[in-house]
Amino acid sequence: MARNDRLVRTLTILRELGAARTGLTVKTLAERHGWSLRTIYRDLAALEQARFPVVKDGARYRVVEGQVPAAGLGVARDELCALFVARELAHGLRGT
C-alpha cells in the first residue's frame, strides 16, 4: 500500500462522517469506496485513539461537531486532521 493511501482514506472517512448529520455505517463507507470493513474499523480506531470526536450511535459512526479545537490552535480542522495522519505515518520512517 502506498503511504499516501492511508492518509487519504483516513481523511476521507473523517470528512464524510463530519458531513453526514446522522452518521454513516461502516458498510456504507466500504461500499462507496471499495475498502474492507476491517480497514475502516482500524482507521476509526486510530481516529478515536487520537481523540478525534468520533462516536458510535448504534451501527452508525459520526463526528461530534464543534469538539475539535482547531480554531483555538490557529489551524483549520482539515489541517489538524492532516497533521495527525502525517504524524501517524511518520512512525514507519523511524530509523530510515
Side-chain angles (χ1 to χ4, degrees):
M1 165 176 41
R3 293 188 190 272
N4 289 338
D5 290 349
R6 184 172 184 197
L7 171 66
V8 170
R9 188 180 59 243
T10 304
L11 290 175
T12 299
I13 290 170
L14 198 56
R15 185 187 69 232
E16 289 197 19
L17 292 179
R21 277 197 179 172
T22 60
L24 294 170
T25 64
V26 172
K27 183 179 178 183
T28 300
L29 288 167
E31 289 172 352
R32 281 185 188 175
H33 301 284
W35 302 325
S36 73
L37 298 176
R38 184 174 177 184
T39 296
I40 297 169
Y41 282 120
R42 189 173 26 244
D43 290 342
L44 287 168
L47 289 168
E48 290 170 345
Q49 183 179 3
R51 297 190 178 132
F52 277 92
V54 176
V55 295
K56 184 176 180 184
D57 287 333
R60 295 176 174 268
Y61 287 84
R62 64 182 177 83
V63 174
V64 178
E65 189 63 34
Q67 296 297 314
V68 179
L73 297 174
V75 296
R77 186 183 347 204
D78 292 343
E79 292 170 329
L80 184 63
C81 294
L83 288 170
F84 160 73
V85 176
R87 184 186 70 184
E88 290 300 307
L89 291 172
H91 288 294
L93 299 175
R94 287 184 182 164
T96 59

Coordinates of all heavy atoms in Angstrom, one line a residue:
M1 N 0.8 -1.2 0.0 CA 0.0 0.0 0.0 C 0.9 1.2 0.0 O 1.9 1.3 0.7 CB -0.9 0.0 1.2 CG -1.5 1.3 1.5 SD -2.7 1.4 2.9 CE -2.0 0.5 4.2
A2 N 0.6 2.2 -0.8 CA 1.3 3.5 -0.9 C 1.1 4.2 0.5 O 0.0 4.1 1.1 CB 0.8 4.3 -2.0
R3 N 2.1 5.0 0.9 CA 2.0 5.7 2.2 C 0.8 6.7 2.2 O 0.2 6.9 3.2 CB 3.3 6.4 2.5 CG 4.4 5.4 2.8 CD 5.6 6.2 3.3 NE 6.8 5.3 3.3 CZ 7.1 4.6 4.4 NH1 6.3 4.6 5.4 NH2 8.2 3.9 4.4
N4 N 0.6 7.3 1.0 CA -0.5 8.3 1.0 C -1.9 7.7 1.0 O -2.8 8.4 1.3 CB -0.4 9.1 -0.3 CG 0.8 10.1 -0.2 OD1 1.3 10.4 0.9 ND2 1.3 10.5 -1.4
D5 N -2.0 6.4 0.7 CA -3.3 5.8 0.7 C -4.0 5.8 2.0 O -5.2 6.2 2.1 CB -3.3 4.3 0.2 CG -2.9 4.2 -1.2 OD1 -2.9 5.2 -1.9 OD2 -2.6 3.1 -1.7
R6 N -3.3 5.5 3.1 CA -3.9 5.6 4.4 C -4.3 7.0 4.8 O -5.3 7.2 5.4 CB -2.9 5.0 5.5 CG -3.6 5.0 6.8 CD -2.7 4.2 7.9 NE -3.5 4.2 9.1 CZ -2.9 3.9 10.2 NH1 -1.6 3.6 10.3 NH2 -3.7 3.8 11.3
L7 N -3.4 8.0 4.5 CA -3.7 9.4 4.8 C -5.0 9.8 4.1 O -5.9 10.3 4.7 CB -2.6 10.2 4.3 CG -2.8 11.7 4.3 CD1 -2.9 12.2 5.8 CD2 -1.6 12.4 3.7
V8 N -5.1 9.5 2.8 CA -6.3 9.9 2.0 C -7.5 9.2 2.5 O -8.6 9.8 2.7 CB -6.1 9.6 0.5 CG1 -7.4 9.7 -0.3 CG2 -5.0 10.4 -0.1
R9 N -7.4 7.9 2.8 CA -8.5 7.1 3.3 C -9.0 7.7 4.7 O -10.2 7.9 4.9 CB -8.2 5.6 3.4 CG -9.3 4.8 3.8 CD -8.9 3.3 3.9 NE -7.9 3.1 4.9 CZ -6.7 2.7 4.7 NH1 -6.3 2.3 3.5 NH2 -5.8 2.5 5.7
T10 N -8.1 7.9 5.6 CA -8.5 8.4 6.9 C -9.1 9.8 6.9 O -10.1 10.0 7.5 CB -7.2 8.4 7.9 OG1 -6.7 7.1 7.9 CG2 -7.6 8.8 9.3
L11 N -8.6 10.7 6.1 CA -9.2 12.0 5.9 C -10.5 11.9 5.2 O -11.4 12.7 5.5 CB -8.2 12.9 5.2 CG -7.0 13.4 5.9 CD1 -6.1 14.2 5.0 CD2 -7.3 14.1 7.2
T12 N -10.7 11.0 4.3 CA -11.9 10.8 3.6 C -13.0 10.3 4.6 O -14.1 10.8 4.6 CB -11.8 9.8 2.4 OG1 -10.9 10.4 1.5 CG2 -13.1 9.6 1.7
I13 N -12.6 9.4 5.4 CA -13.6 8.9 6.4 C -14.0 10.0 7.4 O -15.2 10.2 7.6 CB -12.9 7.7 7.2 CG1 -12.8 6.5 6.4 CG2 -13.8 7.4 8.5 CD1 -12.0 5.4 7.0
L14 N -13.0 10.8 7.8 CA -13.3 11.9 8.8 C -14.2 12.9 8.1 O -15.2 13.4 8.7 CB -12.0 12.5 9.2 CG -12.1 13.4 10.5 CD1 -12.6 12.6 11.7 CD2 -10.7 13.9 10.8
R15 N -13.9 13.3 6.8 CA -14.7 14.3 6.1 C -16.1 13.8 5.9 O -17.1 14.5 6.1 CB -14.0 14.6 4.8 CG -14.8 15.7 4.0 CD -14.3 15.9 2.6 NE -14.6 14.7 1.8 CZ -13.8 14.0 1.1 NH1 -12.5 14.3 1.0 NH2 -14.2 13.0 0.4
E16 N -16.3 12.5 5.5 CA -17.6 12.0 5.2 C -18.4 11.9 6.5 O -19.6 12.1 6.5 CB -17.5 10.7 4.5 CG -17.1 10.9 3.1 CD -17.4 9.7 2.2 OE1 -18.2 8.9 2.5 OE2 -16.8 9.7 1.1
L17 N -17.8 11.4 7.6 CA -18.5 11.3 8.9 C -18.9 12.7 9.4 O -20.0 12.9 9.9 CB -17.7 10.6 9.9 CG -17.4 9.2 9.7 CD1 -16.5 8.6 10.8 CD2 -18.6 8.4 9.6
G18 N -18.1 13.7 9.1 CA -18.4 15.1 9.5 C -19.5 15.7 8.7 O -20.3 16.5 9.2
A19 N -19.7 15.3 7.5 CA -20.7 15.8 6.6 C -22.0 15.1 6.8 O -23.1 15.7 6.4 CB -20.2 15.7 5.1
A20 N -22.0 13.9 7.3 CA -23.3 13.2 7.5 C -23.9 13.4 8.8 O -23.3 13.0 9.8 CB -23.0 11.7 7.3
R21 N -25.0 14.2 8.9 CA -25.6 14.5 10.2 C -25.9 13.3 11.0 O -25.7 13.4 12.2 CB -26.8 15.4 9.9 CG -26.5 16.8 9.7 CD -27.7 17.6 9.9 NE -27.3 18.9 9.7 CZ -28.0 20.0 9.6 NH1 -29.3 19.8 9.7 NH2 -27.5 21.1 9.3
T22 N -26.5 12.3 10.4 CA -26.9 11.2 11.2 C -25.8 10.1 11.3 O -26.0 9.1 11.8 CB -28.2 10.6 10.6 OG1 -28.0 10.2 9.3 CG2 -29.3 11.6 10.7
G23 N -24.7 10.4 10.7 CA -23.6 9.4 10.7 C -23.7 8.4 9.5 O -24.6 8.5 8.7
L24 N -22.7 7.6 9.4 CA -22.7 6.6 8.4 C -22.3 5.2 9.0 O -21.6 5.1 10.0 CB -21.6 6.9 7.3 CG -21.8 8.2 6.5 CD1 -20.6 8.5 5.7 CD2 -23.0 8.0 5.6
T25 N -22.7 4.1 8.3 CA -22.3 2.8 8.7 C -21.0 2.5 8.1 O -20.6 3.1 7.0 CB -23.3 1.7 8.4 OG1 -23.4 1.7 6.9 CG2 -24.7 2.0 9.0
V26 N -20.3 1.6 8.7 CA -19.0 1.1 8.1 C -19.3 0.5 6.7 O -18.5 0.6 5.8 CB -18.3 0.2 9.1 CG1 -17.1 -0.5 8.4 CG2 -17.9 0.9 10.3
K27 N -20.4 -0.2 6.7 CA -20.8 -0.9 5.4 C -21.0 0.1 4.3 O -20.5 -0.1 3.1 CB -22.0 -1.7 5.6 CG -22.4 -2.5 4.4 CD -23.7 -3.3 4.6 CE -24.1 -4.0 3.4 NZ -25.3 -4.8 3.6
T28 N -21.6 1.2 4.6 CA -21.8 2.3 3.6 C -20.5 2.8 3.1 O -20.3 3.0 1.9 CB -22.6 3.4 4.2 OG1 -23.9 2.9 4.6 CG2 -22.8 4.5 3.2
L29 N -19.5 3.1 4.0 CA -18.2 3.6 3.6 C -17.5 2.6 2.7 O -16.9 2.9 1.7 CB -17.4 3.9 4.8 CG -17.8 5.2 5.6 CD1 -17.1 5.2 7.0 CD2 -17.4 6.4 4.8
A30 N -17.6 1.3 3.1 CA -16.9 0.2 2.4 C -17.5 0.1 0.9 O -16.7 0.0 0.0 CB -17.1 -1.1 3.1
E31 N -18.8 0.2 0.8 CA -19.4 0.1 -0.5 C -19.1 1.3 -1.4 O -18.9 1.2 -2.6 CB -21.0 0.0 -0.3 CG -21.4 -1.4 0.2 CD -22.8 -1.5 0.6 OE1 -23.6 -0.4 0.5 OE2 -23.3 -2.6 0.9
R32 N -19.1 2.5 -0.8 CA -18.8 3.7 -1.6 C -17.4 3.7 -2.1 O -17.1 4.2 -3.2 CB -18.9 5.0 -0.7 CG -20.3 5.4 -0.5 CD -20.3 6.7 0.3 NE -21.6 7.1 0.7 CZ -21.9 8.1 1.5 NH1 -21.0 8.8 2.0 NH2 -23.2 8.4 1.8
H33 N -16.4 3.2 -1.4 CA -15.0 3.3 -1.7 C -14.3 2.0 -2.1 O -13.1 2.1 -2.5 CB -14.3 4.1 -0.6 CG -14.8 5.4 -0.3 ND1 -14.6 6.5 -1.1 CD2 -15.7 5.9 0.7 CE1 -15.2 7.6 -0.6 NE2 -15.9 7.2 0.5
G34 N -14.9 0.9 -1.8 CA -14.3 -0.4 -2.1 C -13.2 -0.8 -1.1 O -12.3 -1.5 -1.3
W35 N -13.3 -0.2 0.1 CA -12.4 -0.6 1.2 C -13.0 -1.8 2.0 O -14.2 -2.0 2.0 CB -12.2 0.6 2.2 CG -11.7 1.9 1.6 CD1 -10.8 2.0 0.6 CD2 -12.1 3.2 1.9 NE1 -10.6 3.3 0.3 CE2 -11.4 4.1 1.1 CE3 -13.0 3.7 2.9 CZ2 -11.5 5.4 1.2 CZ3 -13.1 5.1 3.0 CH2 -12.3 5.9 2.2
S36 N -12.1 -2.5 2.7 CA -12.6 -3.6 3.5 C -13.1 -3.1 4.8 O -12.7 -2.0 5.3 CB -11.5 -4.6 3.8 OG -10.6 -4.1 4.7
L37 N -14.1 -3.8 5.4 CA -14.6 -3.4 6.7 C -13.5 -3.3 7.8 O -13.5 -2.4 8.6 CB -15.7 -4.4 7.1 CG -16.9 -4.5 6.2 CD1 -17.8 -5.6 6.8 CD2 -17.7 -3.2 6.2
R38 N -12.6 -4.3 7.7 CA -11.5 -4.3 8.7 C -10.7 -3.1 8.6 O -10.2 -2.5 9.7 CB -10.7 -5.6 8.5 CG -9.6 -5.8 9.5 CD -9.0 -7.1 9.3 NE -7.9 -7.2 10.2 CZ -7.0 -8.2 10.2 NH1 -7.2 -9.2 9.3 NH2 -6.1 -8.3 11.1
T39 N -10.4 -2.6 7.4 CA -9.6 -1.4 7.2 C -10.2 -0.2 7.8 O -9.6 0.6 8.5 CB -9.3 -1.2 5.7 OG1 -8.5 -2.4 5.2 CG2 -8.5 0.0 5.4
I40 N -11.5 -0.1 7.6 CA -12.3 1.1 8.1 C -12.3 1.0 9.6 O -12.1 2.1 10.2 CB -13.7 1.1 7.5 CG1 -13.6 1.3 6.0 CG2 -14.5 2.2 8.1 CD1 -14.9 1.1 5.2
Y41 N -12.6 -0.1 10.2 CA -12.6 -0.2 11.6 C -11.2 0.2 12.2 O -11.1 0.8 13.2 CB -12.9 -1.6 12.1 CG -14.4 -1.9 12.0 CD1 -14.9 -2.9 11.2 CD2 -15.3 -1.2 12.8 CE1 -16.3 -3.2 11.2 CE2 -16.7 -1.4 12.7 CZ -17.2 -2.5 11.9 OH -18.5 -2.7 11.9
R42 N -10.1 -0.2 11.6 CA -8.8 0.1 12.0 C -8.6 1.6 11.9 O -8.0 2.2 12.9 CB -7.7 -0.6 11.1 CG -6.3 -0.5 11.6 CD -5.3 -1.4 10.9 NE -5.7 -1.7 9.5 CZ -5.9 -3.0 9.1 NH1 -5.9 -4.0 9.9 NH2 -6.3 -3.2 7.8
D43 N -9.0 2.3 10.9 CA -8.9 3.7 10.7 C -9.7 4.5 11.8 O -9.3 5.5 12.3 CB -9.2 4.2 9.3 CG -8.2 3.7 8.3 OD1 -7.1 3.4 8.7 OD2 -8.6 3.7 7.1
L44 N -10.9 4.0 12.0 CA -11.8 4.6 13.0 C -11.1 4.5 14.4 O -11.2 5.4 15.2 CB -13.2 3.9 13.1 CG -14.1 4.3 11.9 CD1 -15.3 3.3 11.9 CD2 -14.5 5.7 11.9
A45 N -10.5 3.3 14.7 CA -9.8 3.1 16.0 C -8.7 4.1 16.1 O -8.4 4.7 17.2 CB -9.3 1.7 16.1
A46 N -7.9 4.4 15.0 CA -6.8 5.3 15.0 C -7.3 6.7 15.3 O -6.8 7.5 16.1 CB -6.1 5.3 13.7
L47 N -8.5 7.1 14.7 CA -9.0 8.4 14.9 C -9.5 8.6 16.4 O -9.3 9.6 17.0 CB -10.2 8.7 14.0 CG -9.8 8.9 12.5 CD1 -11.1 8.8 11.6 CD2 -9.1 10.2 12.4
E48 N -10.1 7.5 16.9 CA -10.6 7.5 18.3 C -9.4 7.6 19.3 O -9.4 8.3 20.3 CB -11.4 6.3 18.6 CG -12.8 6.4 17.9 CD -13.5 5.0 18.0 OE1 -12.9 4.0 18.4 OE2 -14.7 5.1 17.7
Q49 N -8.3 6.9 19.0 CA -7.1 6.9 19.8 C -6.5 8.3 19.8 O -5.9 8.7 20.8 CB -6.1 5.9 19.3 CG -4.9 5.7 20.1 CD -3.9 4.7 19.6 OE1 -4.2 4.1 18.5 NE2 -2.8 4.5 20.3
A50 N -6.6 9.0 18.7 CA -6.0 10.3 18.6 C -7.0 11.4 19.2 O -6.8 12.6 19.1 CB -5.8 10.7 17.2
R51 N -8.1 10.9 19.8 CA -9.1 11.7 20.5 C -9.9 12.6 19.6 O -10.3 13.7 20.0 CB -8.4 12.5 21.6 CG -7.9 11.6 22.7 CD -7.5 12.3 23.9 NE -7.0 11.4 24.9 CZ -5.9 11.5 25.5 NH1 -5.1 12.6 25.3 NH2 -5.5 10.6 26.4
F52 N -10.0 12.2 18.3 CA -11.0 12.9 17.4 C -12.4 12.5 17.9 O -12.6 11.3 18.3 CB -10.8 12.5 16.0 CG -9.7 13.3 15.3 CD1 -8.4 12.8 15.3 CD2 -10.0 14.5 14.7 CE1 -7.4 13.5 14.7 CE2 -9.0 15.3 14.2 CZ -7.7 14.8 14.1
P53 N -13.3 13.4 17.9 CA -14.6 13.1 18.4 C -15.5 12.2 17.6 O -16.6 12.6 17.1 CB -15.2 14.5 18.6 CG -14.6 15.3 17.5 CD -13.2 14.7 17.4
V54 N -15.0 11.0 17.3 CA -15.8 10.0 16.5 C -16.6 9.2 17.5 O -16.0 8.6 18.4 CB -14.8 9.1 15.7 CG1 -15.6 8.1 14.9 CG2 -14.1 10.0 14.7
V55 N -17.9 9.2 17.3 CA -18.7 8.4 18.3 C -19.6 7.4 17.5 O -19.9 7.6 16.3 CB -19.6 9.3 19.1 CG1 -18.8 10.2 20.0 CG2 -20.5 10.2 18.2
K56 N -19.9 6.3 18.1 CA -20.8 5.3 17.5 C -22.2 5.4 18.1 O -22.4 5.4 19.3 CB -20.2 3.9 17.8 CG -21.0 2.9 17.1 CD -20.3 1.5 17.3 CE -21.1 0.4 16.6 NZ -20.6 -0.9 16.9
D57 N -23.2 5.6 17.2 CA -24.6 5.6 17.6 C -25.3 4.5 16.9 O -25.6 4.5 15.7 CB -25.3 6.9 17.1 CG -24.8 8.2 17.9 OD1 -24.5 8.0 19.1 OD2 -24.9 9.3 17.3
G58 N -25.4 3.4 17.7 CA -26.0 2.2 17.1 C -25.0 1.6 16.1 O -23.9 1.3 16.5
A59 N -25.4 1.5 14.9 CA -24.5 0.9 13.9 C -23.8 2.0 13.1 O -23.0 1.8 12.2 CB -25.3 0.1 12.9
R60 N -24.1 3.3 13.4 CA -23.5 4.4 12.7 C -22.4 5.1 13.5 O -22.5 5.2 14.7 CB -24.6 5.4 12.4 CG -25.7 4.9 11.4 CD -26.8 5.9 11.3 NE -27.7 5.5 10.3 CZ -27.6 5.7 9.0 NH1 -26.7 6.5 8.5 NH2 -28.5 5.3 8.1
Y61 N -21.5 5.6 12.7 CA -20.4 6.5 13.3 C -20.6 7.9 12.8 O -21.1 8.1 11.7 CB -19.0 6.0 12.8 CG -18.6 4.7 13.5 CD1 -19.0 3.5 13.0 CD2 -17.7 4.7 14.6 CE1 -18.6 2.3 13.6 CE2 -17.3 3.6 15.2 CZ -17.7 2.3 14.7 OH -17.3 1.2 15.3
R62 N -20.3 8.8 13.7 CA -20.4 10.2 13.3 C -19.3 11.0 14.0 O -18.7 10.5 15.0 CB -21.8 10.8 13.5 CG -22.2 10.8 15.0 CD -23.6 11.3 15.2 NE -24.0 11.2 16.6 CZ -23.7 12.2 17.5 NH1 -23.0 13.2 17.1 NH2 -24.0 12.0 18.7
V63 N -19.1 12.2 13.6 CA -18.2 13.2 14.3 C -19.0 14.2 15.0 O -19.9 14.8 14.5 CB -17.3 13.9 13.2 CG1 -16.4 14.9 13.9 CG2 -16.4 12.9 12.5
V64 N -18.7 14.4 16.3 CA -19.4 15.3 17.1 C -18.9 16.7 16.7 O -17.7 17.0 16.8 CB -19.1 15.1 18.6 CG1 -19.8 16.2 19.4 CG2 -19.5 13.7 19.0
E65 N -19.8 17.5 16.2 CA -19.5 18.8 15.6 C -19.1 19.8 16.8 O -19.6 19.7 17.9 CB -20.7 19.4 14.9 CG -20.4 20.7 14.2 CD -19.4 20.5 13.0 OE1 -19.4 19.5 12.4 OE2 -18.6 21.5 12.8
G66 N -18.0 20.5 16.5 CA -17.6 21.5 17.5 C -16.7 21.0 18.6 O -16.3 21.8 19.5
Q67 N -16.3 19.7 18.5 CA -15.5 19.2 19.6 C -14.0 19.2 19.2 O -13.2 19.0 20.1 CB -15.9 17.7 19.8 CG -17.3 17.6 20.4 CD -17.4 18.3 21.7 OE1 -16.6 18.2 22.6 NE2 -18.4 19.1 21.9
V68 N -13.6 19.5 18.0 CA -12.2 19.6 17.6 C -11.8 21.1 17.8 O -12.3 21.9 17.1 CB -12.0 19.1 16.2 CG1 -10.5 19.2 15.8 CG2 -12.4 17.7 16.0
P69 N -10.8 21.4 18.7 CA -10.5 22.8 18.9 C -9.5 23.4 17.9 O -8.5 24.0 18.3 CB -9.8 22.7 20.3 CG -9.2 21.3 20.3 CD -10.1 20.4 19.5
A70 N -9.8 23.1 16.6 CA -8.9 23.7 15.6 C -8.8 25.2 15.6 O -7.7 25.7 15.4 CB -9.3 23.1 14.2
A71 N -9.9 25.8 15.9 CA -9.9 27.3 15.8 C -9.0 27.9 16.9 O -8.3 28.9 16.6 CB -11.3 27.8 16.0
G72 N -8.9 27.3 18.0 CA -8.1 27.7 19.1 C -6.6 27.5 18.8 O -5.7 28.1 19.4
L73 N -6.3 26.6 17.9 CA -4.9 26.3 17.6 C -4.4 27.1 16.5 O -3.2 27.1 16.2 CB -4.8 24.8 17.2 CG -5.1 23.8 18.3 CD1 -5.1 22.4 17.8 CD2 -4.2 23.9 19.5
G74 N -5.3 27.8 15.8 CA -4.8 28.6 14.7 C -4.7 27.9 13.4 O -4.1 28.3 12.4
V75 N -5.3 26.7 13.3 CA -5.3 25.9 12.1 C -6.7 25.4 11.8 O -7.5 25.3 12.7 CB -4.4 24.6 12.2 CG1 -2.9 25.0 12.3 CG2 -4.8 23.7 13.3
A76 N -7.0 25.2 10.5 CA -8.3 24.7 10.2 C -8.4 23.2 10.6 O -7.4 22.5 10.8 CB -8.5 24.8 8.7
R77 N -9.6 22.7 10.7 CA -9.9 21.3 11.1 C -9.2 20.3 10.1 O -8.6 19.3 10.5 CB -11.4 21.0 11.2 CG -11.6 19.7 11.8 CD -13.0 19.2 11.9 NE -14.0 20.2 11.8 CZ -15.2 20.1 12.3 NH1 -15.6 19.1 12.9 NH2 -16.1 21.1 12.1
D78 N -9.3 20.6 8.8 CA -8.7 19.7 7.8 C -7.2 19.7 8.0 O -6.6 18.6 7.8 CB -9.1 20.2 6.4 CG -10.5 20.0 6.1 OD1 -11.2 19.2 6.8 OD2 -11.0 20.6 5.1
E79 N -6.6 20.8 8.3 CA -5.2 20.9 8.5 C -4.8 20.1 9.7 O -3.8 19.4 9.7 CB -4.7 22.3 8.7 CG -4.8 23.1 7.4 CD -4.5 24.6 7.6 OE1 -4.8 25.1 8.7 OE2 -4.0 25.3 6.7
L80 N -5.6 20.2 10.8 CA -5.3 19.4 12.0 C -5.4 17.9 11.8 O -4.5 17.1 12.2 CB -6.3 19.8 13.1 CG -6.1 19.2 14.5 CD1 -4.8 19.6 15.1 CD2 -7.2 19.6 15.4
C81 N -6.4 17.5 11.0 CA -6.5 16.1 10.6 C -5.3 15.6 9.8 O -4.8 14.5 10.0 CB -7.8 15.9 9.8 SG -9.3 16.1 10.7
A82 N -4.9 16.4 8.9 CA -3.7 16.1 8.0 C -2.5 16.0 8.9 O -1.6 15.1 8.7 CB -3.5 17.1 6.9
L83 N -2.3 16.9 9.8 CA -1.1 16.8 10.7 C -1.1 15.5 11.5 O -0.1 14.9 11.7 CB -1.1 18.0 11.6 CG -0.7 19.3 10.9 CD1 -0.9 20.5 11.9 CD2 0.7 19.3 10.5
F84 N -2.3 15.1 12.0 CA -2.4 13.9 12.8 C -2.0 12.7 12.0 O -1.2 11.8 12.4 CB -3.8 13.7 13.4 CG -4.0 12.3 13.8 CD1 -3.5 11.7 14.9 CD2 -4.9 11.5 13.0 CE1 -3.7 10.4 15.2 CE2 -5.1 10.2 13.3 CZ -4.5 9.6 14.5
V85 N -2.6 12.6 10.8 CA -2.3 11.4 10.0 C -0.9 11.4 9.5 O -0.2 10.3 9.5 CB -3.3 11.4 8.7 CG1 -3.0 10.3 7.8 CG2 -4.7 11.3 9.2
A86 N -0.3 12.5 9.2 CA 1.1 12.6 8.8 C 2.0 12.1 10.0 O 3.0 11.4 9.8 CB 1.5 14.0 8.4
R87 N 1.7 12.5 11.2 CA 2.4 12.0 12.4 C 2.3 10.5 12.5 O 3.3 9.8 12.8 CB 1.9 12.7 13.6 CG 2.8 12.3 14.9 CD 2.2 12.9 16.1 NE 1.0 12.1 16.4 CZ 0.2 12.4 17.4 NH1 0.4 13.4 18.2 NH2 -0.9 11.7 17.6
E88 N 1.2 10.0 12.3 CA 1.0 8.5 12.4 C 1.8 7.8 11.3 O 2.4 6.8 11.6 CB -0.5 8.2 12.3 CG -1.3 8.6 13.5 CD -0.8 7.9 14.8 OE1 -0.7 6.7 14.8 OE2 -0.6 8.6 15.7
L89 N 1.8 8.3 10.1 CA 2.5 7.7 9.0 C 4.1 7.8 9.2 O 4.8 7.0 8.8 CB 2.1 8.3 7.7 CG 0.7 8.0 7.2 CD1 0.4 8.8 6.0 CD2 0.6 6.5 6.9
A90 N 4.5 8.9 9.9 CA 5.9 9.1 10.1 C 6.5 8.1 11.1 O 7.7 7.8 11.0 CB 6.1 10.5 10.7
H91 N 5.7 7.4 11.9 CA 6.3 6.4 12.8 C 7.0 5.3 12.0 O 8.0 4.7 12.4 CB 5.1 5.7 13.6 CG 4.6 6.6 14.7 ND1 5.4 7.1 15.8 CD2 3.4 7.2 14.9 CE1 4.7 7.8 16.5 NE2 3.5 8.0 16.0
G92 N 6.5 5.0 10.8 CA 7.1 4.0 10.0 C 8.4 4.4 9.4 O 9.2 3.5 8.8
L93 N 8.8 5.6 9.5 CA 10.0 6.1 8.9 C 11.2 6.2 9.9 O 12.3 6.5 9.5 CB 9.8 7.5 8.3 CG 8.8 7.6 7.2 CD1 8.6 9.1 6.8 CD2 9.2 6.8 6.0
R94 N 10.9 5.8 11.1 CA 12.0 5.9 12.2 C 13.1 4.9 11.8 O 12.9 3.8 11.3 CB 11.4 5.5 13.5 CG 10.6 6.5 14.1 CD 10.1 6.1 15.5 NE 9.3 7.2 16.0 CZ 8.5 7.0 17.1 NH1 8.5 5.9 17.7 NH2 7.7 8.0 17.5
G95 N 14.3 5.4 11.9 CA 15.5 4.6 11.6 C 15.8 4.5 10.2 O 16.7 3.7 9.8
T96 N 15.1 5.2 9.3 CA 15.5 5.2 7.9 C 16.3 6.3 7.5 O 16.5 7.3 8.2 CB 14.2 5.2 7.0 OG1 13.5 6.4 7.2 CG2 13.4 4.0 7.3

